[in-house]
Amino acid sequence: LVEGLQNQAQYNGLKGVVLSEAVDSRLCVRLYQDNMDLRLKVENVRPLIVMPDERKVLYAQLQDLTDEQIVSSREYLRIQLKVKGVKHFNTAVAHNNLGIALSKTYKPYEMLEAVAMLTKAAKSMRRVAADDDPHVLQFSQTLKETQETLTRFEEDGVLSALPCWWHPSSRQEDAAKMALVFTSLHDTFGSDNTSISSETMQHGLRMHGLLNFTASSSDPVNETAFVALACDELQQMKVQANRE
């Protein structure tokens, strides 16, 4: 839940999903209402307890919103090319909008097309706008960030999962993240030993986005087993997400 914003007070009270922690220690939050991404300070984001089944519905809605945004952005670009032509401010904006929409899927093919659209947008904007126009810097920065994400897919074993949510990552990165999840669950629900219950593992992983994970036994789980099982589940999610 977004709250406490002063300069962008219109977003206070809106709900969204945390996509990632940004480089500047802010949280990247995607709003449910209009699929907009905001970079917010931690104090401006209040966690809401959303159960796994609700999360599954919300993530599906996010994917639908992203697909709709891509379709509408393609149509807007088609209209601008027909009405304004290639060398026009509106057409540059249309290329940029489509590139951003495609980049939100975090899929290799769509990210490749996103870079192509954003490249056209940046070049067009440099032609039609003044050097000090903020759009020039903004478009160039968006292109750079998308290129960096696309480059990640060239690394061995790096894929994304659940488009619109899990960014491209390697198994090593997933293992580090899941180790932190285990520690959090153990500190909250664990006993004095080094394990947590399989029920806690299942609930915890589903709360962290592994929505279809089901524990295969009722035995307690230590950190090593937890991380291995979580990473295996994530790998299945990645293969499925990048097959669609």
Side-chain angles (χ1 to χ4, degrees), residues 213-224:
F213 179 82
T214 301
S216 58
S217 78
S218 57
D219 296 334
V221 182
N222 61 22
E223 180 177 345
T224 300

Side-chain angles (χ1 to χ4, degrees), residues 5 18 27 34 38 42 60 63 88 98-99 101 103 106 111 114 119 133 139 144 163 173-174 199 230 235 237:
L5 295 180
V18 175
L27 299 174
D34 55 9
L38 299 177
V42 175
Q63 291 185 15
H88 193 277
L98 177 55
S103 71
Y106 291 106
M111 292 297 294
T119 299
D133 189 310
F139 282 22
K144 179 183 177 182
E173 290 169 324
D174 294 339
E199 182 180 2
Q235 183 61 27
M237 291 167 57

Side-chain angles (χ1 to χ4, degrees), residues 18 23 36 38 51 67 81 106 108 124 132 138 150 158 165-167 173 191 207 209-210 215 224 233 241 244:
V18 175
V23 177
M36 176 181 290
L38 299 177
M51 293 297 102
D67 292 340
L81 284 169
Y106 291 106
S124 297
D132 59 351
Q138 177 189 342
L150 178 62
V158 171
W165 169 61
W166 199 280
H167 292 213
E173 290 169 324
S191 58
M207 288 296 289
L210 283 68
T224 300
E233 179 71 14
E244 294 174 352

Side-chain angles (χ1 to χ4, degrees), residues 3-43:
E3 61 182 12
L5 295 180
Q6 301 297 322
N7 296 330
Q8 296 178 302
Q10 69 271 24
Y11 298 122
N12 289 332
L14 298 184
K15 297 179 181 179
V17 59
V18 175
L19 298 178
S20 66
E21 184 174 339
V23 177
D24 56 3
S25 297
R26 296 190 176 209
L27 299 174
C28 182
V29 177
R30 181 166 298 167
L31 300 179
Y32 295 138
Q33 180 171 300
D34 55 9
N35 211 29
M36 176 181 290
D37 292 353
L38 299 177
R39 295 183 186 273
L40 304 174
K41 294 180 180 178
V42 175
E43 58 264 31

